[in-house]
Amino acid sequence: MASQVVHGTLTATIFEAKHLSHGGLPSLLRKVGGEVKELLHRDGHIGLYATIDIGIARIARTRVLSNEPTNPIWNETFHILCAYTSPSLVISVKKGLEISAHVVGRAKIPISEILSGKVIEGWYDLYNEDFSEQLKKAQIHARLQFKQVSEDPYWGSGIRDRDFPGVQHVYFKQRKGCRVNLYQNSHLSEHYRPRIELGHGEERALYRPPRLWEEVYQYIDGAKQFIYIAGWSVNTKITLVRDKERMIPGAEGVTLGELLKKKADQGVRVLVLIWEDRTAVELLRNQGLMQTHCDETFEYFKGTNVYCFQCPRNAHRSLSAFQTVEIAAEFTHHQKTVCLDARIHGSENREVVSFVGGIDLCDGRYDNEIHPLFSTLDTVCRDDFHQNNYKDTDLRHGGPREPWHDAHSKIQGSAAYDVVTNFTQRWTKQADPTLLLNLEDLPGLLPPATHFEGPETWNVQIFRSIDDASVIGFPANPSEAPELGLITIKDQVIDKSIQCAYIEAIRRAKDFIYIQNQYFFGSCASWDRDQDCECLHLIPIEIALKVVSKIRARERFAVYVLTPMWPEGIPEGDTVQAILHWFRNTARMMYKMIGEALREEGLDQEYRPTDYLNFFCVGNREVKLPGEYEPPERPEEGTDYWNAQIHRRTMIYVHAKLMIVDDEYIIIGSANLNQRSMDGARDTEIAQGCYQPEHINQQGRQARGEIFGYRMSLWYEHFANKNGGLRREYLHPESVECVRMVRRISEKIWESFVREETVEDLPGHLLPFPMEVLEDGSLQEGEDIVFPDTKASVQGHKIDVLPPILTT
């Protein structure tokens, strides 16, 4: 059978199996079963479950049935987003052992039958593991129906109309009549005023970028009833308001810890839920990936009116002892939310406001659009020096500090209550639920159904990556799970709606996609190597398939991806090099597909793969100013730190997690584009997807709402400010003229960045990721290059001593 592309949605039901004969347990295992169960499985059991695979990808798995050894009945349905290439689909029945699984039987269905689109239902004969022998009478009953992506009414058409229902089959429904603010960085300087016109004709208005930490301070200070904070890291020592040109009265020098204690002493219920770092992987800690201050924060609030709980990333009770240790040591609670009550302008009533995004309330996050390296070391960064990309850094040895680009959002309206629901479900699962307030009983607080009116309102939907080891509220009946988009892996229930939201937004995309993310790698089932690394999420392959479909339709499409120059950490270190290796595998796969499509369509003489897909990073470089902070010591000569200081340059760390589609829809939150964040059973995440119904793309009228303004403001920060301003080409990001102009500007900035002498401040921040893409879509694989001021390979390399689950 020939391999075929399966791109669309598969609805699959596993009903039951019959006449299974798997010989029972081996006698030795039966004899020691009780001891093994107690040792290896906290709530262990042995039972039967079924799986569905396309190629190497496991796409569905039923719950475990422990008391039906020959005729198990599951009756479980799955809605599965697919983007795989394989000759067949395989349904397996497995016996779950304590630390492994044994294949009882397998059925194989040709992909050609699946792709017909017809309902396929029947009893399928089961064979042994390698399909060399049919099992006597053993069968499995299943029903399958596949819908090609092109049959989706929203495929390539965007939001299309104001009645767009949002993402279906997910836990939180789309909420109408909300308000949203979008933030770039934790702060913006007083002088940041890009002229961006929103709307059309007489309805035009200027985009006014808000300032996150100023607003967080004001909302916390103004809360009267509750403040709920969930974070990967919460540092009580940071100050939120530091800009003397925009100083809020009473805010100067006030730390986050002091502010929260003050509010708690005033009678506000303050709950702080922070991830408890139980990692024993000192290698990562030494590279700066785990410095969360969780113990310090807990001790700071001990004995105060602030209730702080250190929340470990627990494993599901059904997992083995090894898996339990693995999850606790390797995965995190990564959500970053603040929920509180606030006075409604012009009213005595109050509303719920929630902040969701990528910015932790911790050290190293304060920055603005300038991203200074040296000039703020004795002012706003004096007590907040952060640099995790070189060894032995501190303020005493001088800059460059680590500049930080990030993104966040604020939600008002009924969707803000969904963020509170997420917090209360997590707090109830792992902390003391009696400390939670019943919001319905709070005086003057508007109910969840409240929504705003007017043309500037938003439709908002909350998405998560989380499992029932970290949250309550999932249905006990497996038959109810599919409608909520929940999947069952053995007995573990998982919400991976963030990945679903990204995939559906990519499928809807009509003209362009703009991504900023700390990591970008995945879809390993389509790589040409390392396919066994289990980094299976579909976002990169979905993007590549979207571009290929546009090439075949002779339509323009562009993808811009902004990532860090390298992941935070010592660039030569094993962890960083492994992640760079995964990234390169992903880029190689995507460019290869695009190059092949251009050749097949006869467009390879007119266009290059980089006319459709580009990867960028950002950096900064500063000339020395009179009166600048002079460190009393210097880094060791010849080190990366010394080189960066001498050349007065470093990368800007991109920590944002957002995707803008066609200037009308945005996903923004805490989730990275890697398996950890997209899996649902690894790091816990939260994000929102939103749009303004009055500012969507329609016939003859482009989206010119807040999302458009936000994208243009990001571009202004990264490169447009010092390179001719916001040109008319940027109004059409999908055009080849825009793509090539942005690329040329980034290459010009790169020349200034890598020049030996520092003769001027860098004329912008946008840089092409240092990876050469050839005309046929292949990557230049010759002599490896290194990042400026380092000895670190840009290509990265696979690290055998680190399991892929840790770095993917």
Side-chain angles (χ1 to χ4, degrees), residues 192-198 205-207 209 708 712 716 725-726:
Y192 186 72
R193 297 190 184 94
R195 184 173 178 80
I196 303 168
E197 290 189 345
L198 309 181
L206 287 180
Y207 176 73
F708 161 77
M712 293 290 274
Y716 187 82
L726 293 170

Side-chain angles (χ1 to χ4, degrees), residues 280-509:
V281 187
E282 286 299 324
L283 172 64
L284 293 186
R285 190 183 300 274
N286 291 342
Q287 292 188 349
L289 299 181
M290 298 290 178
Q291 297 172 4
T292 62
H293 309 282
C294 58
D295 291 335
E296 296 174 33
T297 299
F298 180 77
E299 290 298 323
Y300 180 87
F301 287 126
K302 186 182 291 185
T304 74
N305 290 320
V306 174
Y307 297 97
C308 179
F309 181 75
Q310 292 191 82
C311 184
R313 177 61 177 96
N314 288 337
H316 191 270
R317 66 183 185 279
S318 67
L319 300 181
S320 69
F322 174 78
Q323 291 170 312
T324 297
V325 172
E326 183 179 57
I327 287 172
E330 296 174 0
F331 302 132
T332 77
H333 289 300
H334 200 239
Q335 296 180 349
K336 308 139 196 329
T337 64
V338 177
C339 305
L340 39 68
D341 69 289
R343 187 175 73 86
I344 298 173
H345 182 69
S347 170
E348 292 303 313
N349 289 327
R350 305 188 72 78
E351 63 175 332
V352 170
V353 175
S354 293
F355 292 86
V356 175
I359 303 182
D360 298 281
L361 294 173
C362 70
D363 47 317
R365 297 331 190 235
Y366 186 88
D367 211 341
N368 61 24
E369 78 284 355
I370 300 169
H371 300 294
L373 308 182
F374 299 92
S375 60
T376 57
L377 295 184
D378 58 352
T379 56
V380 296
C381 295
R382 180 181 57 221
D383 299 318
D384 188 8
F385 180 85
H386 182 86
Q387 177 52 273
N388 280 337
N389 298 303
Y390 311 117
K391 294 179 180 178
D392 303 321
T393 60
D394 56 32
L395 184 62
R396 186 169 182 81
H397 288 84
R401 60 177 286 272
E402 182 177 352
W404 198 272
H405 176 74
D406 220 325
H408 217 78
S409 68
K410 180 182 73 181
I411 307 169
Q412 298 165 267
S414 53
Y417 277 85
D418 290 337
V419 184
V420 176
T421 297
N422 168 76
F423 180 91
T424 58
Q425 289 178 340
R426 286 190 57 201
W427 185 275
T428 301
K429 182 70 176 183
Q430 293 194 262
D432 181 359
T434 64
L435 295 173
L436 293 164
L437 300 180
N438 185 346
L439 299 193
E440 294 180 2
D441 295 339
L442 298 182
L445 191 67
L446 294 183
T450 302
H451 65 273
F452 300 97
E453 303 287 348
E456 302 307 314
T457 59
W458 296 69
N459 290 359
V460 179
Q461 195 167 14
I462 302 301
F463 309 110
R464 293 187 293 188
S465 293
I466 203 163
D467 64 10
D468 58 351
S470 301
V471 73
I472 66 164
F474 291 167
N477 186 348
S479 66
E480 300 175 13
E483 281 304 307
L484 296 175
L486 304 174
I487 62 173
T488 303
I489 297 182
K490 297 184 180 178
D491 290 336
Q492 183 181 17
V493 183
I494 297 170
D495 181 344
K496 49 194 297 185
S497 54
I498 293 178
Q499 183 179 169
C500 294
Y502 267 93
I503 292 170
E504 293 205 11
I506 293 165
R507 291 182 176 184
R508 289 194 305 269

Side-chain angles (χ1 to χ4, degrees), residues 119-396:
V119 175
I120 303 171
E121 182 175 349
W123 286 92
Y124 295 93
D125 294 331
L126 293 175
Y127 291 76
N128 63 356
E129 186 168 4
D130 62 1
F131 293 97
S132 62
E133 180 182 351
Q134 184 175 344
L135 306 181
K136 185 178 181 180
K137 293 186 178 182
Q139 291 182 311
I140 189 164
H141 182 197
R143 181 173 61 214
L144 305 167
Q145 185 173 26
F146 179 72
K147 185 170 71 173
Q148 294 279 3
V149 71
S150 57
E151 298 175 41
D152 185 333
Y154 287 98
W155 166 252
S157 67
I159 298 298
R160 201 173 63 188
D161 57 58
R162 295 176 181 85
D163 296 326
F164 173 67
V167 179
Q168 301 299 290
H169 306 302
V170 293
Y171 190 86
F172 292 110
K173 305 305 179 186
Q174 178 177 272
R175 310 298 186 184
K176 296 183 177 181
C178 299
R179 290 175 179 166
V180 171
N181 276 13
L182 301 171
Y183 305 93
Q184 60 193 95
N185 307 308
S186 59
H187 185 60
L188 294 170
S189 74
E190 172 67 16
H191 309 288
Y192 186 72
R193 297 190 184 94
R195 184 173 178 80
I196 303 168
E197 290 189 345
L198 309 181
H200 298 271
E202 296 180 358
E203 302 172 358
R204 290 187 180 182
L206 287 180
Y207 176 73
R208 300 188 182 281
R211 291 161 174 82
L212 174 64
W213 276 12
E214 287 183 4
E215 292 194 18
V216 170
Y217 175 90
Q218 291 171 319
Y219 273 98
I220 291 177
D221 195 41
K224 299 295 183 184
Q225 296 166 328
F226 73 96
I227 301 167
Y228 295 166
I229 297 175
W232 175 83
S233 173
V234 175
N235 189 340
T236 60
K237 298 178 182 179
I238 65 166
T239 55
L240 297 173
V241 183
R242 308 183 195 182
D243 189 341
K244 292 188 180 298
E245 292 187 284
R246 297 182 52 86
M247 185 53 60
I248 297 171
E252 186 168 8
V254 177
T255 67
L256 176 62
E258 292 167 345
L259 179 62
L260 293 176
K261 285 201 297 185
K262 181 186 79 170
K263 298 309 296 182
D265 291 343
Q266 292 173 356
V268 178
R269 179 58 52 89
V270 181
L271 305 182
V272 179
L273 190 64
I274 54 174
W275 170 54
E276 181 180 16
D277 180 5
R278 288 182 172 178
T279 179
V281 187
E282 286 299 324
L283 172 64
L284 293 186
R285 190 183 300 274
N286 291 342
Q287 292 188 349
L289 299 181
M290 298 290 178
Q291 297 172 4
T292 62
H293 309 282
C294 58
D295 291 335
E296 296 174 33
T297 299
F298 180 77
E299 290 298 323
Y300 180 87
F301 287 126
K302 186 182 291 185
T304 74
N305 290 320
V306 174
Y307 297 97
C308 179
F309 181 75
Q310 292 191 82
C311 184
R313 177 61 177 96
N314 288 337
H316 191 270
R317 66 183 185 279
S318 67
L319 300 181
S320 69
F322 174 78
Q323 291 170 312
T324 297
V325 172
E326 183 179 57
I327 287 172
E330 296 174 0
F331 302 132
T332 77
H333 289 300
H334 200 239
Q335 296 180 349
K336 308 139 196 329
T337 64
V338 177
C339 305
L340 39 68
D341 69 289
R343 187 175 73 86
I344 298 173
H345 182 69
S347 170
E348 292 303 313
N349 289 327
R350 305 188 72 78
E351 63 175 332
V352 170
V353 175
S354 293
F355 292 86
V356 175
I359 303 182
D360 298 281
L361 294 173
C362 70
D363 47 317
R365 297 331 190 235
Y366 186 88
D367 211 341
N368 61 24
E369 78 284 355
I370 300 169
H371 300 294
L373 308 182
F374 299 92
S375 60
T376 57
L377 295 184
D378 58 352
T379 56
V380 296
C381 295
R382 180 181 57 221
D383 299 318
D384 188 8
F385 180 85
H386 182 86
Q387 177 52 273
N388 280 337
N389 298 303
Y390 311 117
K391 294 179 180 178
D392 303 321
T393 60
D394 56 32
L395 184 62
R396 186 169 182 81

